[in-house]
Amino acid sequence: MASSRILHPDMEDTGSGLDYGTRPETLLGDITPNHRFFIRSHAPTPEIDPGTWELRVEGDGVRRATSYSYTDIRGAFPVVSVTRTIECAGNRRVLFGKEVGQDFEGTQWGRGAISTAEWTGVRLRDLLEPAGLTDAAVEVMPEALDAIRARRPLPLAKALADDTIVAFAMNGEELPPDHGFPARLVVTGWLGAASIKWLGRIEVSEHALHVPWNTEDYVLITENRDGAAASTSVITEPALSTLVELAWPAHLQPGPHVIRGRAFAGEARITMVETRIDDGPWVAADITSPGAPGVWARWQIRWNADPGDHVLRVRATDDRGRRQPESTPPNVLGYMHESVLAHPITVDDGS
Ligand SMILES: Nc1nc2c(c(=O)[nH]1)N[C@H]1C(S)=C(S)[C@@H](COP(=O)(O)O)O[C@H]1N2
Ligand SMILES: [Mo]
Protein backbone atom coordinates (compact mmCIF):
# COMPACT_ATOMS: atom_id res chain seq x y z
CA MET A 1 0.00 0.00 0.00
CA ALA A 2 2.49 2.56 -1.23
CA SER A 3 0.05 5.45 -0.92
CA SER A 4 0.00 5.28 2.86
CA ARG A 5 3.71 4.70 3.30
CA ILE A 6 5.09 7.31 5.65
CA LEU A 7 8.72 6.31 5.36
CA HIS A 8 11.44 8.95 5.59
CA PRO A 9 13.63 9.03 2.45
CA ASP A 10 16.81 8.55 4.50
CA MET A 11 15.92 4.97 5.50
CA GLU A 12 18.38 2.14 4.78
CA ASP A 13 17.03 0.31 1.71
CA THR A 14 17.80 -3.40 2.02
CA GLY A 15 16.87 -3.99 -1.63
CA SER A 16 14.03 -6.43 -0.89
CA GLY A 17 11.35 -3.87 -1.76
CA LEU A 18 9.66 -4.46 1.59
CA ASP A 19 12.28 -3.94 4.27
CA TYR A 20 13.80 -0.63 5.39
CA GLY A 21 16.19 0.06 8.24
CA THR A 22 16.55 2.92 10.68
CA ARG A 23 19.83 4.77 10.19
CA PRO A 24 21.53 4.90 13.60
CA GLU A 25 22.98 8.35 12.88
CA THR A 26 19.42 9.77 12.64
CA LEU A 27 18.41 8.68 16.17
CA LEU A 28 17.70 11.53 18.58
CA GLY A 29 15.47 10.55 21.53
CA ASP A 30 14.62 7.25 23.20
CA ILE A 31 11.78 6.81 20.74
CA THR A 32 12.17 6.20 17.02
CA PRO A 33 9.62 8.38 15.18
CA ASN A 34 7.09 6.41 13.15
CA HIS A 35 8.47 7.58 9.81
CA ARG A 36 11.93 6.27 10.74
CA PHE A 37 10.92 3.05 12.53
CA PHE A 38 12.36 0.08 10.61
CA ILE A 39 9.99 -2.05 8.53
CA ARG A 40 10.27 -5.80 8.09
CA SER A 41 7.41 -7.29 6.09
CA HIS A 42 7.49 -10.66 4.34
CA ALA A 43 4.57 -9.72 2.08
CA PRO A 44 3.01 -6.41 1.04
CA THR A 45 1.06 -4.41 3.60
CA PRO A 46 -2.57 -5.56 3.45
CA GLU A 47 -5.33 -2.98 3.13
CA ILE A 48 -7.68 -3.56 6.03
CA ASP A 49 -11.02 -1.82 6.64
CA PRO A 50 -11.34 -1.27 10.40
CA GLY A 51 -15.13 -1.12 9.98
CA THR A 52 -15.37 -4.79 9.02
CA TRP A 53 -12.18 -6.07 10.67
CA GLU A 54 -12.49 -8.57 13.47
CA LEU A 55 -10.05 -10.31 15.76
CA ARG A 56 -11.06 -13.88 16.54
CA VAL A 57 -9.88 -15.85 19.56
CA GLU A 58 -10.39 -19.56 19.04
CA GLY A 59 -8.81 -23.01 19.25
CA ASP A 60 -9.03 -26.04 21.53
CA GLY A 61 -7.45 -24.02 24.35
CA VAL A 62 -10.52 -21.78 24.82
CA ARG A 63 -14.02 -22.67 25.98
CA ARG A 64 -15.85 -20.20 23.70
CA ALA A 65 -14.59 -18.82 20.43
CA THR A 66 -14.80 -15.04 20.77
CA SER A 67 -14.49 -12.17 18.35
CA TYR A 68 -13.72 -8.47 18.78
CA SER A 69 -14.38 -5.49 16.52
CA TYR A 70 -12.05 -2.52 16.16
CA THR A 71 -14.40 -0.57 18.43
CA ASP A 72 -14.12 -3.31 21.08
CA ILE A 73 -10.31 -3.26 20.93
CA ARG A 74 -10.21 0.54 21.21
CA GLY A 75 -12.89 0.94 23.82
CA ALA A 76 -13.81 -2.12 25.87
CA PHE A 77 -10.60 -2.94 27.76
CA PRO A 78 -8.13 -1.08 29.98
CA VAL A 79 -5.62 0.75 27.77
CA VAL A 80 -1.90 0.50 28.49
CA SER A 81 1.13 2.24 26.97
CA VAL A 82 4.57 0.61 27.03
CA THR A 83 7.83 1.73 25.48
CA ARG A 84 9.48 -1.26 23.87
CA THR A 85 12.31 -1.92 21.44
CA ILE A 86 11.72 -4.25 18.51
CA GLU A 87 14.71 -5.87 16.83
CA CYS A 88 14.75 -8.33 13.94
CA ALA A 89 16.73 -11.51 14.60
CA GLY A 90 18.49 -10.87 11.26
CA ASN A 91 19.81 -7.44 12.24
CA ARG A 92 23.50 -6.96 11.29
CA ARG A 93 23.37 -9.93 8.90
CA VAL A 94 25.65 -8.20 6.36
CA LEU A 95 28.24 -7.50 9.07
CA PHE A 96 27.90 -11.10 10.28
CA GLY A 97 28.61 -12.32 6.75
CA LYS A 98 31.74 -10.15 6.55
CA GLU A 99 32.91 -11.49 9.91
CA VAL A 100 32.63 -15.13 8.91
CA GLY A 101 33.42 -14.71 5.18
CA GLN A 102 30.03 -15.89 4.00
CA ASP A 103 27.06 -14.42 2.08
CA PHE A 104 23.92 -15.11 4.06
CA GLU A 105 20.59 -15.19 2.27
CA GLY A 106 17.70 -13.25 3.74
CA THR A 107 17.15 -9.55 4.21
CA GLN A 108 20.47 -7.73 3.83
CA TRP A 109 20.42 -5.81 7.08
CA GLY A 110 23.18 -3.53 8.22
CA ARG A 111 22.51 -2.08 11.66
CA GLY A 112 19.01 -0.75 10.94
CA ALA A 113 16.60 -3.49 12.02
CA ILE A 114 16.08 -2.12 15.53
CA SER A 115 13.80 0.70 16.71
CA THR A 116 11.82 1.73 19.77
CA ALA A 117 8.28 3.09 20.12
CA GLU A 118 5.71 3.80 22.76
CA TRP A 119 3.00 1.28 21.97
CA THR A 120 -0.58 1.78 23.14
CA GLY A 121 -3.16 -0.96 23.22
CA VAL A 122 -4.77 -3.62 25.38
CA ARG A 123 -3.26 -6.58 27.16
CA LEU A 124 -3.46 -9.81 25.21
CA ARG A 125 -4.55 -11.59 28.37
CA ASP A 126 -7.58 -9.28 28.67
CA LEU A 127 -8.68 -10.44 25.21
CA LEU A 128 -8.11 -14.11 26.05
CA GLU A 129 -9.93 -14.03 29.37
CA PRO A 130 -13.53 -13.71 28.04
CA ALA A 131 -12.89 -16.74 25.81
CA GLY A 132 -12.13 -18.88 28.89
CA LEU A 133 -8.72 -20.57 28.75
CA THR A 134 -8.85 -24.30 29.35
CA ASP A 135 -6.63 -25.80 32.04
CA ALA A 136 -4.62 -27.57 29.35
CA ALA A 137 -3.91 -24.47 27.19
CA VAL A 138 -0.15 -24.22 26.53
CA GLU A 139 0.41 -21.96 23.52
CA VAL A 140 -1.10 -18.82 22.07
CA MET A 141 -0.55 -18.12 18.39
CA PRO A 142 -1.27 -14.71 16.84
CA GLU A 143 -1.98 -14.94 13.12
CA ALA A 144 -1.93 -12.19 10.50
CA LEU A 145 -4.21 -11.19 7.65
CA ASP A 146 -1.28 -10.74 5.24
CA ALA A 147 -0.69 -12.94 2.19
CA ILE A 148 1.57 -15.36 4.10
CA ARG A 149 -0.71 -15.66 7.15
CA ALA A 150 2.32 -14.83 9.32
CA ARG A 151 2.08 -16.60 12.67
CA ARG A 152 4.28 -17.78 15.48
CA PRO A 153 3.21 -19.33 18.79
CA LEU A 154 4.07 -17.95 22.22
CA PRO A 155 4.19 -20.06 25.37
CA LEU A 156 1.15 -19.31 27.54
CA ALA A 157 3.18 -17.51 30.22
CA LYS A 158 4.63 -15.01 27.71
CA ALA A 159 1.19 -14.47 26.15
CA LEU A 160 -0.29 -13.65 29.58
CA ALA A 161 2.54 -11.31 30.62
CA ASP A 162 1.61 -7.82 31.79
CA ASP A 163 3.45 -6.26 28.87
CA THR A 164 2.36 -8.48 25.99
CA ILE A 165 -0.06 -6.18 24.24
CA VAL A 166 -2.26 -5.86 21.20
CA ALA A 167 -1.30 -2.35 20.09
CA PHE A 168 -3.49 -0.04 18.06
CA ALA A 169 -1.28 3.05 18.40
CA MET A 170 2.41 3.85 18.02
CA ASN A 171 4.06 6.94 19.46
CA GLY A 172 0.67 8.53 20.04
CA GLU A 173 -0.61 7.99 16.52
CA GLU A 174 -2.87 5.39 15.01
CA LEU A 175 -0.76 2.36 14.04
CA PRO A 176 0.63 3.05 10.54
CA PRO A 177 -0.35 0.48 7.86
CA ASP A 178 3.24 -0.79 7.46
CA HIS A 179 3.49 -1.43 11.22
CA GLY A 180 0.32 -3.49 11.47
CA PHE A 181 -2.87 -1.42 11.25
CA PRO A 182 -5.41 -1.98 12.69
CA ALA A 183 -3.69 -4.00 15.45
CA ARG A 184 -0.43 -5.79 16.10
CA LEU A 185 1.13 -7.76 18.89
CA VAL A 186 4.06 -6.30 20.85
CA VAL A 187 6.08 -8.95 22.69
CA THR A 188 8.63 -7.55 25.13
CA GLY A 189 12.27 -8.52 24.68
CA TRP A 190 11.69 -11.16 22.03
CA LEU A 191 12.75 -11.18 18.40
CA GLY A 192 10.66 -8.96 16.11
CA ALA A 193 9.02 -11.95 14.43
CA ALA A 194 7.02 -12.60 17.62
CA SER A 195 5.32 -9.21 17.28
CA ILE A 196 2.82 -10.19 14.60
CA LYS A 197 1.35 -7.32 12.57
CA TRP A 198 -2.16 -7.10 11.01
CA LEU A 199 -3.70 -9.45 13.54
CA GLY A 200 -6.80 -11.36 12.46
CA ARG A 201 -6.88 -14.41 14.67
CA ILE A 202 -5.44 -15.73 17.89
CA GLU A 203 -5.33 -19.46 18.30
CA VAL A 204 -5.06 -20.91 21.78
CA SER A 205 -3.81 -24.47 21.72
CA GLU A 206 -3.54 -27.40 24.10
CA HIS A 207 -0.52 -28.70 22.19
CA ALA A 208 2.67 -27.28 20.74
CA LEU A 209 2.20 -25.66 17.32
CA HIS A 210 4.64 -25.99 14.44
CA VAL A 211 4.59 -23.31 11.74
CA PRO A 212 7.17 -21.96 9.27
CA TRP A 213 8.41 -19.30 11.70
CA ASN A 214 9.43 -21.76 14.40
CA THR A 215 10.64 -24.59 12.15
CA GLU A 216 12.27 -23.07 9.01
CA ASP A 217 12.69 -19.37 9.70
CA TYR A 218 13.66 -17.66 12.94
CA VAL A 219 15.48 -20.77 14.09
CA LEU A 220 19.21 -21.14 14.68
CA ILE A 221 20.53 -23.90 12.46
CA THR A 222 24.14 -24.93 12.92
CA GLU A 223 25.96 -27.28 10.57
CA ASN A 224 28.69 -29.86 10.91
CA ARG A 225 31.81 -29.52 8.77
CA ASP A 226 30.19 -31.77 6.14
CA GLY A 227 27.19 -29.43 5.86
CA ALA A 228 24.72 -31.70 7.64
CA ALA A 229 22.42 -29.93 10.11
CA ALA A 230 23.83 -30.38 13.59
CA SER A 231 21.22 -28.58 15.62
CA THR A 232 18.16 -26.40 15.31
CA SER A 233 16.79 -24.20 18.06
CA VAL A 234 13.92 -21.74 18.12
CA ILE A 235 14.97 -18.11 18.63
CA THR A 236 13.18 -16.26 21.38
CA GLU A 237 15.32 -13.35 22.58
CA PRO A 238 17.46 -11.31 20.20
CA ALA A 239 21.23 -10.98 20.61
CA LEU A 240 22.94 -8.72 23.13
CA SER A 241 24.00 -5.77 20.99
CA THR A 242 25.18 -2.19 20.77
CA LEU A 243 25.17 0.42 18.07
CA VAL A 244 26.95 3.72 17.54
CA GLU A 245 24.90 6.70 16.35
CA LEU A 246 27.26 7.39 13.49
CA ALA A 247 27.21 6.45 9.82
CA TRP A 248 29.22 3.36 8.84
CA PRO A 249 31.95 4.27 7.98
CA ALA A 250 31.91 7.56 9.90
CA HIS A 251 33.67 10.82 9.02
CA LEU A 252 34.40 13.36 11.75
CA GLN A 253 36.23 16.64 12.10
CA PRO A 254 39.20 16.64 14.46
CA GLY A 255 38.61 17.84 18.01
CA PRO A 256 36.19 17.10 20.85
CA HIS A 257 33.12 14.99 20.15
CA VAL A 258 30.39 13.31 22.12
CA ILE A 259 29.78 9.91 20.56
CA ARG A 260 26.42 8.36 21.45
CA GLY A 261 24.85 4.99 21.01
CA ARG A 262 22.40 2.35 22.22
CA ALA A 263 22.60 -1.09 23.78
CA PHE A 264 19.89 -3.74 23.89
CA ALA A 265 19.66 -6.94 25.93
CA GLY A 266 16.25 -8.43 25.06
CA GLU A 267 14.46 -9.38 28.28
CA ALA A 268 17.49 -8.46 30.38
CA ARG A 269 18.79 -5.08 31.49
CA ILE A 270 22.01 -3.42 30.32
CA THR A 271 24.35 -2.88 33.27
CA MET A 272 27.54 -1.66 31.57
CA VAL A 273 28.74 -0.38 28.23
CA GLU A 274 32.46 -0.14 27.52
CA THR A 275 34.20 1.44 24.57
CA ARG A 276 37.66 1.12 23.16
CA ILE A 277 39.35 3.34 20.61
CA ASP A 278 41.99 1.70 18.44
CA ASP A 279 44.34 -0.27 20.70
CA GLY A 280 43.47 1.72 23.82
CA PRO A 281 41.99 0.33 27.02
CA TRP A 282 38.32 -0.53 27.49
CA VAL A 283 36.67 2.42 29.23
CA ALA A 284 33.18 2.52 30.75
CA ALA A 285 30.75 4.79 28.88
CA ASP A 286 28.17 6.96 30.65
CA ILE A 287 24.78 5.32 30.56
CA THR A 288 22.50 8.27 29.93
CA SER A 289 19.18 6.44 29.89
CA PRO A 290 19.28 3.13 31.67
CA GLY A 291 16.77 1.24 29.57
CA ALA A 292 14.79 -1.58 31.13
CA PRO A 293 13.98 -5.15 30.16
CA GLY A 294 12.71 -4.86 26.58
CA VAL A 295 13.98 -1.31 26.03
CA TRP A 296 17.34 -0.19 24.75
CA ALA A 297 19.70 1.80 26.96
CA ARG A 298 21.58 4.87 25.75
CA TRP A 299 25.24 5.61 26.37
CA GLN A 300 27.78 8.26 25.41
CA ILE A 301 31.49 9.02 25.57
CA ARG A 302 33.63 12.07 25.02
CA TRP A 303 36.37 11.71 22.48
CA ASN A 304 39.02 14.14 21.34
CA ALA A 305 39.52 12.93 17.80
CA ASP A 306 42.95 13.06 16.17
CA PRO A 307 43.22 13.05 12.38
CA GLY A 308 43.56 9.61 10.83
CA ASP A 309 41.71 6.32 10.59
CA HIS A 310 40.30 4.95 13.83
CA VAL A 311 38.24 2.04 15.05
CA LEU A 312 35.66 2.35 17.84
CA ARG A 313 34.64 -0.86 19.60
CA VAL A 314 31.70 -1.04 21.99
CA ARG A 315 30.61 -3.91 24.20
CA ALA A 316 27.61 -4.27 26.47
CA THR A 317 27.12 -6.34 29.61
CA ASP A 318 23.70 -7.26 31.00
CA ASP A 319 22.33 -8.13 34.42
CA ARG A 320 22.60 -11.83 33.65
CA GLY A 321 26.36 -11.43 33.32
CA ARG A 322 26.40 -11.85 29.56
CA ARG A 323 28.92 -9.73 27.67
CA GLN A 324 29.18 -9.24 23.93
CA PRO A 325 31.78 -11.64 22.50
CA GLU A 326 34.52 -10.92 19.97
CA SER A 327 32.94 -13.33 17.47
CA THR A 328 29.67 -15.16 16.85
CA PRO A 329 29.56 -18.83 15.76
CA PRO A 330 27.93 -18.96 12.30
CA ASN A 331 24.42 -20.31 11.78
CA VAL A 332 22.87 -21.08 8.41
CA LEU A 333 20.40 -18.19 8.29
CA GLY A 334 22.72 -15.53 9.74
CA TYR A 335 20.65 -14.63 12.81
CA MET A 336 21.64 -13.36 16.23
CA HIS A 337 24.87 -11.59 15.41
CA GLU A 338 26.25 -10.41 18.73
CA SER A 339 29.93 -9.72 18.19
CA VAL A 340 31.64 -6.50 19.20
CA LEU A 341 31.66 -4.38 16.02
CA ALA A 342 34.74 -2.50 14.86
CA HIS A 343 33.20 0.81 13.80
CA PRO A 344 35.42 2.56 11.23
CA ILE A 345 35.87 6.32 11.79
CA THR A 346 37.96 8.60 9.60
CA VAL A 347 38.94 11.91 11.16
CA ASP A 348 39.88 14.58 8.60
CA ASP A 349 43.19 16.36 8.98
CA GLY A 350 41.29 19.60 9.55
CA SER A 351 42.98 21.53 6.74
N1 LIG B 1 2.07 -10.16 9.73
C1 LIG B 1 3.37 -9.97 9.84
N2 LIG B 1 3.88 -9.65 11.03
C2 LIG B 1 5.20 -9.45 11.17
C3 LIG B 1 6.07 -9.60 10.05
C4 LIG B 1 5.51 -9.93 8.80
O1 LIG B 1 6.20 -10.05 7.79
N3 LIG B 1 4.15 -10.11 8.73
N4 LIG B 1 7.42 -9.45 10.24
C5 LIG B 1 7.90 -9.70 11.59
C6 LIG B 1 9.30 -9.40 11.75
S1 LIG B 1 10.40 -10.55 11.16
C7 LIG B 1 9.72 -8.28 12.40
S2 LIG B 1 11.35 -8.01 12.70
C8 LIG B 1 8.74 -7.27 12.89
C9 LIG B 1 9.06 -5.91 12.36
O2 LIG B 1 8.10 -4.97 12.78
P1 LIG B 1 8.05 -3.56 12.06
O3 LIG B 1 7.91 -3.76 10.58
O4 LIG B 1 6.93 -2.79 12.65
O5 LIG B 1 9.38 -2.91 12.38
O6 LIG B 1 7.41 -7.59 12.51
C10 LIG B 1 7.10 -8.95 12.62
N5 LIG B 1 5.69 -9.12 12.37
MO1 LIG C 1 12.41 -9.99 11.87
Side-chain angles (χ1 to χ4, degrees):
M1 205 157 65
S3 56
S4 57
R5 181 149 279 166
I6 54 159
L7 215 49
H8 196 280
D10 68 15
M11 296 291 281
E12 168 193 4
D13 185 347
T14 65
S16 70
L18 292 168
D19 309 307
Y20 298 87
T22 304
R23 284 196 196 277
E25 64 272 31
T26 65
L27 293 169
L28 293 171
D30 289 322
I31 295 294
T32 316
N34 292 354
H35 62 279
R36 283 207 173 99
F37 199 104
F38 85 97
I39 297 176
R40 169 61 175 129
S41 297
H42 294 66
T45 294
E47 223 167 307
I48 297 170
D49 174 1
T52 54
W53 176 80
E54 56 169 14
L55 178 57
R56 288 180 290 137
V57 177
E58 57 195 28
D60 62 12
V62 292
R63 298 204 165 82
R64 317 166 268 286
T66 303
S67 155
Y68 302 107
S69 68
Y70 189 57
T71 315
D72 295 335
I73 298 289
R74 297 273 303 234
F77 299 92
V79 172
V80 291
S81 292
V82 292
T83 296
R84 292 293 181 269
T85 298
I86 292 184
E87 182 180 33
C88 184
N91 199 18
R92 298 175 296 277
R93 182 178 276 126
V94 170
L95 297 162
F96 197 178
K98 290 200 173 112
E99 177 181 319
V100 297
Q102 209 174 314
D103 286 329
F104 292 116
E105 286 172 25
T107 305
Q108 297 300 296
W109 291 118
R111 300 172 296 148
I114 184 167
S115 304
T116 299
E118 183 210 55
W119 306 96
T120 295
V122 297
R123 291 194 177 93
L124 177 57
R125 68 159 185 256
D126 288 347
L127 302 183
L128 298 178
E129 200 260 332
L133 295 178
T134 68
D135 293 340
V138 288
E139 287 195 348
V140 176
M141 185 167 71
E143 184 178 309
L145 295 167
D146 55 3
I148 59 161
R149 220 154 51 84
R151 57 206 184 277
R152 196 180 203 262
L154 290 171
L156 188 64
K158 190 69 175 167
L160 299 183
D162 246 6
D163 54 3
T164 295
I165 72 165
V166 171
F168 53 75
M170 178 178 183
N171 293 328
E173 290 171 19
E174 188 169 78
L175 201 57
D178 288 331
H179 296 292
F181 179 84
R184 78 172 301 164
L185 205 65
V186 174
V187 180
T188 296
W190 279 34
L191 79 170
S195 292
I196 297 291
K197 305 190 278 190
W198 313 298
L199 287 173
R201 175 176 180 263
I202 293 167
E203 177 176 347
V204 183
S205 171
E206 295 193 336
H207 55 271
L209 298 169
H210 301 282
V211 295
W213 285 12
N214 66 4
T215 57
E216 294 160 25
D217 276 337
Y218 303 105
V219 289
L220 273 190
I221 306 168
T222 58
E223 283 182 338
N224 291 324
R225 268 174 217 287
D226 61 8
S231 71
T232 299
S233 60
V234 176
I235 301 171
T236 56
E237 283 184 76
L240 178 61
S241 69
T242 44
L243 62 78
V244 179
E245 293 168 35
L246 291 174
W248 183 296
H251 289 272
L252 294 178
Q253 294 300 307
H257 290 276
V258 173
I259 310 281
R260 297 170 301 165
R262 319 261 155 164
F264 185 48
E267 290 181 292
R269 188 188 296 271
I270 296 288
T271 50
M272 181 165 62
V273 174
E274 297 162 285
T275 65
R276 179 187 186 194
I277 292 169
D278 302 325
D279 296 325
W282 286 101
V283 177
D286 289 331
I287 301 212
T288 53
S289 83
V295 189
W296 58 19
R298 296 168 67 185
W299 56 267
Q300 61 186 38
I301 55 165
R302 288 174 180 279
W303 182 40
N304 202 357
D306 292 327
D309 290 330
H310 299 281
V311 173
L312 169 61
R313 290 187 172 79
V314 186
R315 70 181 182 202
T317 302
D318 71 17
D319 62 358
R320 288 183 259 185
R322 291 188 302 168
R323 190 169 79 186
Q324 278 183 266
E326 289 298 320
S327 61
T328 308
N331 64 87
V332 173
L333 301 172
Y335 291 127
M336 300 280 283
H337 184 247
E338 88 177 337
S339 315
V340 172
L341 297 175
H343 199 119
I345 302 177
T346 300
V347 179
D348 299 341
D349 65 12
S351 59

